[in-house]
Amino acid sequence: QNVTKPFDPSTINFVNFISVLYILLSCVLLLNILIGVLSSTFDRIQDNSDVEWKYARSEILTVRRNK
């Protein structure tokens, strides 16, 4: 029987290298997207924090005045 390999070792090494490179770049890209989303969320919450603080303070003052 003459059994031949479908691919030579250099082709397999190249495909493995490209696969690892793709996975690493995908992870970096997804991490970058996550950082962008978290930064946007933090900025939005930071912008609303002053309004929330004033609302909470007015609620406390309203409760004290009604006693």
Side-chain angles (χ1 to χ4, degrees):
Q1 284 183 336
N2 187 5
V3 178
T4 59
K5 294 183 179 180
F7 298 109
D8 62 340
S10 64
T11 303
I12 293 173
N13 288 337
F14 179 73
V15 170
N16 286 338
F17 174 76
I18 295 296
S19 298
V20 169
L21 185 65
Y22 174 78
I23 291 170
L24 288 176
L25 288 177
S26 297
C27 288
V28 169
L29 182 65
L30 288 173
L31 187 60
N32 194 14
I33 291 170
L34 178 65
I35 290 170
V37 168
L38 291 177
S39 176
S40 173
T41 302
F42 178 80
D43 288 342
R44 192 178 64 233
I45 290 172
Q46 189 73 19
D47 290 343
N48 291 336
S49 66
D50 189 50
V51 173
E52 291 290 333
W53 178 81
K54 289 177 182 176
Y55 177 75
R57 184 172 179 221
S58 69
E59 287 290 317
I60 291 171
L61 292 176
T62 304
V63 168
R64 285 187 180 176
R65 286 186 186 155
N66 290 337
K67 283 187 176 184

Short mmCIF file of all heavy atoms in Angstrom, two decimals:
data_model
loop_
_atom_site.label_atom_id
_atom_site.label_comp_id
_atom_site.label_asym_id
_atom_site.label_seq_id
_atom_site.Cartn_x
_atom_site.Cartn_y
_atom_site.Cartn_z
N GLN A 1 0.83 -1.19 0.00
CA GLN A 1 0.00 0.00 0.00
C GLN A 1 0.87 1.24 0.00
O GLN A 1 1.84 1.34 0.76
CB GLN A 1 -0.86 0.03 1.26
CG GLN A 1 -2.03 -0.93 1.22
CD GLN A 1 -2.88 -0.79 2.48
OE1 GLN A 1 -2.40 -0.34 3.50
NE2 GLN A 1 -4.13 -1.18 2.36
N ASN A 2 0.49 2.16 -0.83
CA ASN A 2 1.20 3.42 -0.90
C ASN A 2 0.29 4.52 -0.35
O ASN A 2 -0.64 4.96 -1.01
CB ASN A 2 1.60 3.71 -2.35
CG ASN A 2 2.48 4.94 -2.43
OD1 ASN A 2 2.87 5.48 -1.41
ND2 ASN A 2 2.78 5.34 -3.65
N VAL A 3 0.56 4.93 0.92
CA VAL A 3 -0.25 5.95 1.56
C VAL A 3 0.51 7.27 1.51
O VAL A 3 1.65 7.35 1.94
CB VAL A 3 -0.54 5.56 3.03
CG1 VAL A 3 -1.34 6.66 3.71
CG2 VAL A 3 -1.27 4.23 3.10
N THR A 4 -0.14 8.26 0.93
CA THR A 4 0.50 9.57 0.86
C THR A 4 -0.22 10.54 1.79
O THR A 4 -1.43 10.45 1.99
CB THR A 4 0.46 10.13 -0.56
OG1 THR A 4 -0.91 10.24 -0.97
CG2 THR A 4 1.20 9.21 -1.53
N LYS A 5 0.54 11.47 2.35
CA LYS A 5 -0.05 12.50 3.20
C LYS A 5 -0.69 13.56 2.30
O LYS A 5 -0.14 13.92 1.27
CB LYS A 5 1.02 13.13 4.08
CG LYS A 5 1.60 12.16 5.09
CD LYS A 5 2.60 12.88 5.97
CE LYS A 5 3.15 11.91 6.99
NZ LYS A 5 4.13 12.54 7.87
N PRO A 6 -1.83 14.07 2.70
CA PRO A 6 -2.50 15.06 1.85
C PRO A 6 -1.76 16.40 1.81
O PRO A 6 -1.83 17.10 0.83
CB PRO A 6 -3.87 15.21 2.47
CG PRO A 6 -3.73 14.72 3.87
CD PRO A 6 -2.62 13.71 3.86
N PHE A 7 -1.06 16.76 2.90
CA PHE A 7 -0.35 18.04 2.94
C PHE A 7 1.06 17.81 3.45
O PHE A 7 1.30 16.97 4.29
CB PHE A 7 -1.07 19.03 3.87
CG PHE A 7 -2.46 19.36 3.41
CD1 PHE A 7 -3.56 18.90 4.12
CD2 PHE A 7 -2.68 20.13 2.29
CE1 PHE A 7 -4.85 19.22 3.71
CE2 PHE A 7 -3.95 20.44 1.87
CZ PHE A 7 -5.05 19.98 2.58
N ASP A 8 1.97 18.61 2.98
CA ASP A 8 3.33 18.51 3.49
C ASP A 8 3.45 19.29 4.80
O ASP A 8 2.61 20.13 5.10
CB ASP A 8 4.34 18.98 2.44
CG ASP A 8 4.16 20.43 2.07
OD1 ASP A 8 3.06 20.97 2.30
OD2 ASP A 8 5.12 21.04 1.56
N PRO A 9 4.47 19.05 5.59
CA PRO A 9 4.59 19.69 6.91
C PRO A 9 4.68 21.22 6.85
O PRO A 9 4.19 21.89 7.75
CB PRO A 9 5.88 19.10 7.48
CG PRO A 9 6.06 17.80 6.76
CD PRO A 9 5.47 18.00 5.41
N SER A 10 5.27 21.76 5.82
CA SER A 10 5.37 23.23 5.75
C SER A 10 3.99 23.87 5.57
O SER A 10 3.72 24.94 6.12
CB SER A 10 6.30 23.65 4.62
OG SER A 10 5.77 23.24 3.37
N THR A 11 3.12 23.21 4.84
CA THR A 11 1.76 23.73 4.67
C THR A 11 1.00 23.66 5.99
O THR A 11 0.29 24.61 6.35
CB THR A 11 1.01 22.91 3.59
OG1 THR A 11 1.74 22.96 2.37
CG2 THR A 11 -0.39 23.47 3.38
N ILE A 12 1.15 22.58 6.71
CA ILE A 12 0.49 22.44 8.00
C ILE A 12 1.00 23.50 8.97
O ILE A 12 0.21 24.12 9.70
CB ILE A 12 0.69 21.01 8.55
CG1 ILE A 12 -0.05 20.01 7.66
CG2 ILE A 12 0.20 20.92 9.99
CD1 ILE A 12 0.21 18.57 7.99
N ASN A 13 2.31 23.74 8.98
CA ASN A 13 2.87 24.77 9.85
C ASN A 13 2.34 26.16 9.48
O ASN A 13 2.04 26.97 10.36
CB ASN A 13 4.40 24.76 9.78
CG ASN A 13 4.98 23.55 10.48
OD1 ASN A 13 4.35 22.96 11.35
ND2 ASN A 13 6.19 23.18 10.08
N PHE A 14 2.23 26.43 8.20
CA PHE A 14 1.72 27.72 7.76
C PHE A 14 0.26 27.91 8.18
O PHE A 14 -0.12 28.98 8.67
CB PHE A 14 1.84 27.84 6.23
CG PHE A 14 1.30 29.12 5.69
CD1 PHE A 14 1.98 30.31 5.89
CD2 PHE A 14 0.11 29.12 4.99
CE1 PHE A 14 1.47 31.50 5.39
CE2 PHE A 14 -0.40 30.30 4.49
CZ PHE A 14 0.28 31.50 4.69
N VAL A 15 -0.55 26.89 8.02
CA VAL A 15 -1.95 26.97 8.42
C VAL A 15 -2.07 27.15 9.92
O VAL A 15 -2.88 27.95 10.40
CB VAL A 15 -2.73 25.71 7.94
CG1 VAL A 15 -4.11 25.66 8.55
CG2 VAL A 15 -2.82 25.69 6.42
N ASN A 16 -1.25 26.45 10.70
CA ASN A 16 -1.25 26.63 12.15
C ASN A 16 -0.86 28.05 12.53
O ASN A 16 -1.46 28.66 13.42
CB ASN A 16 -0.32 25.62 12.82
CG ASN A 16 -0.90 24.22 12.82
OD1 ASN A 16 -2.11 24.05 12.73
ND2 ASN A 16 -0.04 23.23 12.93
N PHE A 17 0.16 28.59 11.87
CA PHE A 17 0.60 29.95 12.15
C PHE A 17 -0.51 30.96 11.85
O PHE A 17 -0.77 31.86 12.66
CB PHE A 17 1.86 30.27 11.33
CG PHE A 17 2.29 31.70 11.45
CD1 PHE A 17 2.93 32.13 12.59
CD2 PHE A 17 2.06 32.58 10.41
CE1 PHE A 17 3.33 33.45 12.71
CE2 PHE A 17 2.46 33.90 10.52
CZ PHE A 17 3.09 34.34 11.67
N ILE A 18 -1.14 30.81 10.71
CA ILE A 18 -2.23 31.73 10.34
C ILE A 18 -3.40 31.60 11.32
O ILE A 18 -4.01 32.60 11.71
CB ILE A 18 -2.70 31.45 8.89
CG1 ILE A 18 -1.59 31.78 7.90
CG2 ILE A 18 -3.96 32.23 8.55
CD1 ILE A 18 -1.18 33.24 7.87
N SER A 19 -3.70 30.39 11.76
CA SER A 19 -4.79 30.19 12.72
C SER A 19 -4.48 30.87 14.05
O SER A 19 -5.34 31.54 14.63
CB SER A 19 -5.03 28.70 12.95
OG SER A 19 -5.41 28.06 11.77
N VAL A 20 -3.28 30.71 14.55
CA VAL A 20 -2.89 31.34 15.82
C VAL A 20 -2.90 32.86 15.67
O VAL A 20 -3.37 33.57 16.56
CB VAL A 20 -1.51 30.82 16.27
CG1 VAL A 20 -0.96 31.65 17.41
CG2 VAL A 20 -1.60 29.36 16.67
N LEU A 21 -2.39 33.35 14.56
CA LEU A 21 -2.39 34.79 14.31
C LEU A 21 -3.82 35.34 14.28
O LEU A 21 -4.11 36.40 14.86
CB LEU A 21 -1.67 35.09 13.00
CG LEU A 21 -1.47 36.56 12.64
CD1 LEU A 21 -0.55 37.23 13.66
CD2 LEU A 21 -0.90 36.67 11.24
N TYR A 22 -4.72 34.64 13.63
CA TYR A 22 -6.12 35.05 13.56
C TYR A 22 -6.75 35.09 14.94
O TYR A 22 -7.46 36.04 15.29
CB TYR A 22 -6.90 34.09 12.64
CG TYR A 22 -8.38 34.36 12.61
CD1 TYR A 22 -8.89 35.41 11.86
CD2 TYR A 22 -9.27 33.56 13.33
CE1 TYR A 22 -10.25 35.66 11.82
CE2 TYR A 22 -10.62 33.81 13.31
CZ TYR A 22 -11.11 34.86 12.55
OH TYR A 22 -12.45 35.11 12.53
N ILE A 23 -6.50 34.08 15.75
CA ILE A 23 -7.07 34.02 17.10
C ILE A 23 -6.53 35.17 17.95
O ILE A 23 -7.28 35.84 18.67
CB ILE A 23 -6.80 32.65 17.75
CG1 ILE A 23 -7.62 31.58 17.05
CG2 ILE A 23 -7.11 32.67 19.24
CD1 ILE A 23 -7.26 30.16 17.44
N LEU A 24 -5.23 35.42 17.89
CA LEU A 24 -4.65 36.51 18.67
C LEU A 24 -5.19 37.87 18.25
O LEU A 24 -5.55 38.69 19.09
CB LEU A 24 -3.12 36.49 18.55
CG LEU A 24 -2.41 35.34 19.28
CD1 LEU A 24 -0.92 35.39 18.98
CD2 LEU A 24 -2.67 35.42 20.76
N LEU A 25 -5.26 38.11 16.96
CA LEU A 25 -5.81 39.39 16.48
C LEU A 25 -7.28 39.54 16.84
O LEU A 25 -7.73 40.65 17.18
CB LEU A 25 -5.60 39.52 14.98
CG LEU A 25 -4.16 39.76 14.52
CD1 LEU A 25 -4.09 39.78 13.00
CD2 LEU A 25 -3.61 41.03 15.11
N SER A 26 -8.02 38.46 16.80
CA SER A 26 -9.43 38.51 17.19
C SER A 26 -9.57 38.86 18.66
O SER A 26 -10.42 39.68 19.03
CB SER A 26 -10.12 37.17 16.92
OG SER A 26 -10.11 36.88 15.55
N CYS A 27 -8.74 38.28 19.50
CA CYS A 27 -8.78 38.59 20.94
C CYS A 27 -8.43 40.04 21.20
O CYS A 27 -9.09 40.71 22.01
CB CYS A 27 -7.84 37.67 21.71
SG CYS A 27 -8.43 35.98 21.81
N VAL A 28 -7.42 40.55 20.53
CA VAL A 28 -7.03 41.95 20.71
C VAL A 28 -8.15 42.88 20.26
O VAL A 28 -8.48 43.86 20.93
CB VAL A 28 -5.71 42.25 19.96
CG1 VAL A 28 -5.43 43.74 19.89
CG2 VAL A 28 -4.57 41.51 20.62
N LEU A 29 -8.76 42.57 19.13
CA LEU A 29 -9.85 43.39 18.62
C LEU A 29 -11.05 43.37 19.56
O LEU A 29 -11.64 44.41 19.86
CB LEU A 29 -10.25 42.91 17.22
CG LEU A 29 -11.35 43.70 16.53
CD1 LEU A 29 -10.85 45.11 16.23
CD2 LEU A 29 -11.75 43.01 15.24
N LEU A 30 -11.42 42.20 20.05
CA LEU A 30 -12.55 42.10 20.97
C LEU A 30 -12.27 42.82 22.29
O LEU A 30 -13.15 43.46 22.87
CB LEU A 30 -12.91 40.64 21.22
CG LEU A 30 -13.57 39.92 20.05
CD1 LEU A 30 -13.72 38.44 20.37
CD2 LEU A 30 -14.92 40.54 19.74
N LEU A 31 -11.04 42.74 22.76
CA LEU A 31 -10.66 43.45 23.98
C LEU A 31 -10.74 44.96 23.76
O LEU A 31 -11.20 45.70 24.64
CB LEU A 31 -9.26 43.04 24.41
CG LEU A 31 -8.78 43.56 25.75
CD1 LEU A 31 -9.68 43.09 26.87
CD2 LEU A 31 -7.35 43.11 26.00
N ASN A 32 -10.32 45.41 22.62
CA ASN A 32 -10.40 46.83 22.28
C ASN A 32 -11.86 47.30 22.24
O ASN A 32 -12.20 48.39 22.72
CB ASN A 32 -9.71 47.10 20.96
CG ASN A 32 -9.47 48.57 20.72
OD1 ASN A 32 -9.58 49.38 21.61
ND2 ASN A 32 -9.15 48.90 19.48
N ILE A 33 -12.73 46.51 21.66
CA ILE A 33 -14.15 46.84 21.61
C ILE A 33 -14.73 46.89 23.03
O ILE A 33 -15.50 47.79 23.36
CB ILE A 33 -14.92 45.83 20.73
CG1 ILE A 33 -14.51 46.01 19.27
CG2 ILE A 33 -16.43 45.98 20.89
CD1 ILE A 33 -15.03 44.93 18.34
N LEU A 34 -14.36 45.94 23.88
CA LEU A 34 -14.83 45.92 25.26
C LEU A 34 -14.39 47.17 26.01
O LEU A 34 -15.17 47.78 26.75
CB LEU A 34 -14.33 44.67 25.97
CG LEU A 34 -14.70 44.52 27.44
CD1 LEU A 34 -16.20 44.38 27.59
CD2 LEU A 34 -13.99 43.33 28.05
N ILE A 35 -13.14 47.57 25.84
CA ILE A 35 -12.65 48.78 26.50
C ILE A 35 -13.42 50.01 26.01
O ILE A 35 -13.79 50.88 26.81
CB ILE A 35 -11.13 48.94 26.24
CG1 ILE A 35 -10.36 47.87 27.00
CG2 ILE A 35 -10.65 50.33 26.64
CD1 ILE A 35 -8.90 47.79 26.64
N GLY A 36 -13.70 50.07 24.74
CA GLY A 36 -14.49 51.19 24.21
C GLY A 36 -15.89 51.24 24.78
O GLY A 36 -16.38 52.32 25.13
N VAL A 37 -16.54 50.11 24.88
CA VAL A 37 -17.90 50.06 25.43
C VAL A 37 -17.90 50.45 26.90
O VAL A 37 -18.76 51.23 27.35
CB VAL A 37 -18.52 48.66 25.21
CG1 VAL A 37 -19.79 48.49 26.00
CG2 VAL A 37 -18.78 48.42 23.73
N LEU A 38 -16.95 49.92 27.66
CA LEU A 38 -16.88 50.26 29.09
C LEU A 38 -16.56 51.73 29.29
O LEU A 38 -17.10 52.37 30.21
CB LEU A 38 -15.86 49.38 29.80
CG LEU A 38 -16.23 47.90 29.93
CD1 LEU A 38 -15.11 47.12 30.59
CD2 LEU A 38 -17.52 47.73 30.70
N SER A 39 -15.70 52.29 28.46
CA SER A 39 -15.37 53.70 28.57
C SER A 39 -16.59 54.56 28.28
O SER A 39 -16.86 55.55 28.97
CB SER A 39 -14.24 54.04 27.60
OG SER A 39 -13.97 55.42 27.62
N SER A 40 -17.34 54.21 27.26
CA SER A 40 -18.56 54.94 26.92
C SER A 40 -19.57 54.87 28.05
O SER A 40 -20.20 55.88 28.42
CB SER A 40 -19.16 54.37 25.64
OG SER A 40 -20.40 54.95 25.38
N THR A 41 -19.74 53.69 28.64
CA THR A 41 -20.68 53.52 29.75
C THR A 41 -20.23 54.34 30.96
O THR A 41 -21.05 55.01 31.60
CB THR A 41 -20.79 52.04 30.13
OG1 THR A 41 -21.20 51.31 28.98
CG2 THR A 41 -21.78 51.83 31.24
N PHE A 42 -18.94 54.32 31.26
CA PHE A 42 -18.43 55.08 32.40
C PHE A 42 -18.66 56.57 32.18
O PHE A 42 -19.07 57.29 33.10
CB PHE A 42 -16.94 54.80 32.59
CG PHE A 42 -16.34 55.58 33.72
CD1 PHE A 42 -16.51 55.17 35.03
CD2 PHE A 42 -15.61 56.73 33.47
CE1 PHE A 42 -15.96 55.88 36.07
CE2 PHE A 42 -15.07 57.46 34.50
CZ PHE A 42 -15.25 57.03 35.81
N ASP A 43 -18.39 57.07 30.98
CA ASP A 43 -18.60 58.49 30.69
C ASP A 43 -20.07 58.88 30.85
O ASP A 43 -20.38 59.95 31.39
CB ASP A 43 -18.13 58.84 29.28
CG ASP A 43 -16.62 58.82 29.15
OD1 ASP A 43 -15.93 58.88 30.19
OD2 ASP A 43 -16.13 58.73 28.00
N ARG A 44 -20.97 58.03 30.39
CA ARG A 44 -22.40 58.31 30.50
C ARG A 44 -22.83 58.36 31.97
O ARG A 44 -23.57 59.26 32.38
CB ARG A 44 -23.20 57.26 29.73
CG ARG A 44 -24.65 57.63 29.56
CD ARG A 44 -25.41 56.60 28.74
NE ARG A 44 -25.44 55.34 29.46
CZ ARG A 44 -25.06 54.17 28.97
NH1 ARG A 44 -24.64 54.09 27.74
NH2 ARG A 44 -25.12 53.08 29.70
N ILE A 45 -22.35 57.43 32.77
CA ILE A 45 -22.69 57.40 34.19
C ILE A 45 -22.08 58.61 34.89
O ILE A 45 -22.71 59.23 35.76
CB ILE A 45 -22.23 56.08 34.83
CG1 ILE A 45 -23.09 54.94 34.31
CG2 ILE A 45 -22.30 56.14 36.35
CD1 ILE A 45 -22.61 53.57 34.71
N GLN A 46 -20.86 58.95 34.54
CA GLN A 46 -20.18 60.10 35.15
C GLN A 46 -20.95 61.39 34.84
O GLN A 46 -21.06 62.26 35.71
CB GLN A 46 -18.75 60.19 34.63
CG GLN A 46 -17.90 61.21 35.33
CD GLN A 46 -17.50 60.77 36.72
OE1 GLN A 46 -17.57 59.60 37.06
NE2 GLN A 46 -17.12 61.72 37.53
N ASP A 47 -21.47 61.52 33.64
CA ASP A 47 -22.23 62.72 33.27
C ASP A 47 -23.52 62.82 34.09
O ASP A 47 -23.96 63.93 34.42
CB ASP A 47 -22.57 62.71 31.78
CG ASP A 47 -21.33 62.92 30.91
OD1 ASP A 47 -20.31 63.40 31.44
OD2 ASP A 47 -21.40 62.59 29.71
N ASN A 48 -24.15 61.69 34.40
CA ASN A 48 -25.40 61.70 35.14
C ASN A 48 -25.21 61.72 36.65
O ASN A 48 -26.18 61.87 37.38
CB ASN A 48 -26.25 60.48 34.76
CG ASN A 48 -26.76 60.55 33.35
OD1 ASN A 48 -26.89 61.63 32.78
ND2 ASN A 48 -27.03 59.41 32.75
N SER A 49 -23.99 61.56 37.13
CA SER A 49 -23.77 61.43 38.58
C SER A 49 -24.15 62.70 39.33
O SER A 49 -24.71 62.64 40.42
CB SER A 49 -22.33 61.06 38.88
OG SER A 49 -21.46 62.10 38.50
N ASP A 50 -23.87 63.87 38.76
CA ASP A 50 -24.21 65.12 39.44
C ASP A 50 -25.72 65.28 39.57
O ASP A 50 -26.23 65.67 40.63
CB ASP A 50 -23.61 66.30 38.67
CG ASP A 50 -23.74 67.61 39.43
OD1 ASP A 50 -23.38 67.63 40.62
OD2 ASP A 50 -24.22 68.59 38.84
N VAL A 51 -26.45 64.95 38.52
CA VAL A 51 -27.91 65.03 38.56
C VAL A 51 -28.47 64.04 39.58
O VAL A 51 -29.36 64.40 40.36
CB VAL A 51 -28.50 64.77 37.16
CG1 VAL A 51 -30.01 64.69 37.20
CG2 VAL A 51 -28.03 65.83 36.19
N GLU A 52 -27.93 62.84 39.60
CA GLU A 52 -28.40 61.84 40.56
C GLU A 52 -28.12 62.27 41.99
O GLU A 52 -28.95 62.08 42.88
CB GLU A 52 -27.74 60.49 40.29
CG GLU A 52 -28.17 59.83 39.00
CD GLU A 52 -29.61 59.33 39.05
OE1 GLU A 52 -30.11 59.03 40.15
OE2 GLU A 52 -30.23 59.26 37.98
N TRP A 53 -26.95 62.85 42.22
CA TRP A 53 -26.60 63.31 43.56
C TRP A 53 -27.54 64.42 44.02
O TRP A 53 -28.01 64.42 45.15
CB TRP A 53 -25.15 63.81 43.59
CG TRP A 53 -24.75 64.32 44.93
CD1 TRP A 53 -24.36 63.60 46.00
CD2 TRP A 53 -24.72 65.70 45.35
NE1 TRP A 53 -24.08 64.42 47.07
CE2 TRP A 53 -24.30 65.71 46.68
CE3 TRP A 53 -25.01 66.90 44.70
CZ2 TRP A 53 -24.16 66.90 47.40
CZ3 TRP A 53 -24.87 68.07 45.42
CH2 TRP A 53 -24.45 68.06 46.76
N LYS A 54 -27.83 65.38 43.13
CA LYS A 54 -28.75 66.47 43.48
C LYS A 54 -30.15 65.94 43.74
O LYS A 54 -30.85 66.42 44.65
CB LYS A 54 -28.77 67.51 42.37
CG LYS A 54 -27.49 68.32 42.31
CD LYS A 54 -27.51 69.31 41.16
CE LYS A 54 -26.19 70.07 41.10
NZ LYS A 54 -26.14 70.96 39.94
N TYR A 55 -30.59 64.94 42.96
CA TYR A 55 -31.92 64.37 43.17
C TYR A 55 -31.99 63.66 44.53
O TYR A 55 -32.96 63.84 45.28
CB TYR A 55 -32.25 63.39 42.05
CG TYR A 55 -33.58 62.71 42.24
CD1 TYR A 55 -34.77 63.39 42.01
CD2 TYR A 55 -33.65 61.39 42.67
CE1 TYR A 55 -35.99 62.78 42.19
CE2 TYR A 55 -34.86 60.76 42.86
CZ TYR A 55 -36.03 61.47 42.62
OH TYR A 55 -37.23 60.86 42.82
N ALA A 56 -30.96 62.89 44.86
CA ALA A 56 -30.95 62.19 46.14
C ALA A 56 -30.93 63.18 47.30
O ALA A 56 -31.60 62.99 48.32
CB ALA A 56 -29.76 61.24 46.22
N ARG A 57 -30.17 64.25 47.16
CA ARG A 57 -30.10 65.27 48.22
C ARG A 57 -31.46 65.94 48.39
O ARG A 57 -31.91 66.19 49.52
CB ARG A 57 -29.04 66.30 47.86
CG ARG A 57 -28.84 67.32 48.93
CD ARG A 57 -27.64 68.19 48.62
NE ARG A 57 -27.50 69.19 49.66
CZ ARG A 57 -27.19 70.44 49.43
NH1 ARG A 57 -26.96 70.85 48.20
NH2 ARG A 57 -27.07 71.30 50.42
N SER A 58 -32.13 66.24 47.29
CA SER A 58 -33.45 66.88 47.40
C SER A 58 -34.46 65.94 48.04
O SER A 58 -35.33 66.39 48.80
CB SER A 58 -33.94 67.33 46.02
OG SER A 58 -34.24 66.22 45.20
N GLU A 59 -34.35 64.65 47.77
CA GLU A 59 -35.24 63.68 48.42
C GLU A 59 -35.02 63.65 49.93
O GLU A 59 -35.98 63.61 50.70
CB GLU A 59 -35.02 62.28 47.84
CG GLU A 59 -35.57 62.09 46.44
CD GLU A 59 -37.09 62.09 46.42
OE1 GLU A 59 -37.71 61.46 47.31
OE2 GLU A 59 -37.66 62.73 45.52
N ILE A 60 -33.76 63.68 50.35
CA ILE A 60 -33.46 63.68 51.79
C ILE A 60 -33.99 64.95 52.44
O ILE A 60 -34.60 64.90 53.52
CB ILE A 60 -31.93 63.55 52.00
CG1 ILE A 60 -31.47 62.15 51.58
CG2 ILE A 60 -31.56 63.81 53.46
CD1 ILE A 60 -29.96 61.97 51.55
N LEU A 61 -33.79 66.09 51.79
CA LEU A 61 -34.28 67.36 52.36
C LEU A 61 -35.80 67.40 52.40
O LEU A 61 -36.39 67.91 53.36
CB LEU A 61 -33.74 68.53 51.56
CG LEU A 61 -32.23 68.76 51.65
CD1 LEU A 61 -31.80 69.89 50.72
CD2 LEU A 61 -31.81 69.06 53.09
N THR A 62 -36.46 66.82 51.42
CA THR A 62 -37.92 66.77 51.40
C THR A 62 -38.44 65.91 52.54
O THR A 62 -39.41 66.29 53.21
CB THR A 62 -38.43 66.24 50.05
OG1 THR A 62 -37.92 67.04 49.01
CG2 THR A 62 -39.94 66.21 49.99
N VAL A 63 -37.80 64.79 52.79
CA VAL A 63 -38.23 63.92 53.88
C VAL A 63 -38.05 64.61 55.22
O VAL A 63 -38.91 64.53 56.11
CB VAL A 63 -37.45 62.56 53.84
CG1 VAL A 63 -37.66 61.77 55.10
CG2 VAL A 63 -37.87 61.78 52.61
N ARG A 64 -36.94 65.33 55.41
CA ARG A 64 -36.68 66.03 56.67
C ARG A 64 -37.67 67.16 56.89
O ARG A 64 -38.08 67.40 58.02
CB ARG A 64 -35.25 66.57 56.68
CG ARG A 64 -34.22 65.53 56.91
CD ARG A 64 -32.88 66.15 57.07
NE ARG A 64 -31.86 65.14 57.29
CZ ARG A 64 -30.58 65.39 57.40
NH1 ARG A 64 -30.14 66.63 57.29
NH2 ARG A 64 -29.73 64.43 57.59
N ARG A 65 -38.03 67.86 55.86
CA ARG A 65 -38.98 68.98 55.99
C ARG A 65 -40.38 68.49 56.33
O ARG A 65 -41.16 69.19 56.98
CB ARG A 65 -39.02 69.80 54.70
CG ARG A 65 -37.81 70.64 54.52
CD ARG A 65 -37.96 71.54 53.32
NE ARG A 65 -36.70 72.23 53.11
CZ ARG A 65 -36.30 72.71 51.96
NH1 ARG A 65 -37.06 72.57 50.88
NH2 ARG A 65 -35.15 73.33 51.85
N ASN A 66 -40.74 67.33 55.86
CA ASN A 66 -42.09 66.81 56.09
C ASN A 66 -42.27 66.18 57.46
O ASN A 66 -43.37 65.81 57.82
CB ASN A 66 -42.46 65.79 55.00
CG ASN A 66 -42.66 66.47 53.66
OD1 ASN A 66 -42.95 67.65 53.58
ND2 ASN A 66 -42.48 65.71 52.60
N LYS A 67 -41.20 66.05 58.23
CA LYS A 67 -41.34 65.45 59.57
C LYS A 67 -41.89 66.43 60.56
O LYS A 67 -41.81 67.57 60.55
CB LYS A 67 -39.98 64.94 60.06
CG LYS A 67 -39.62 63.64 59.39
CD LYS A 67 -38.35 63.07 60.02
CE LYS A 67 -38.04 61.73 59.41
NZ LYS A 67 -36.91 61.08 60.01
#
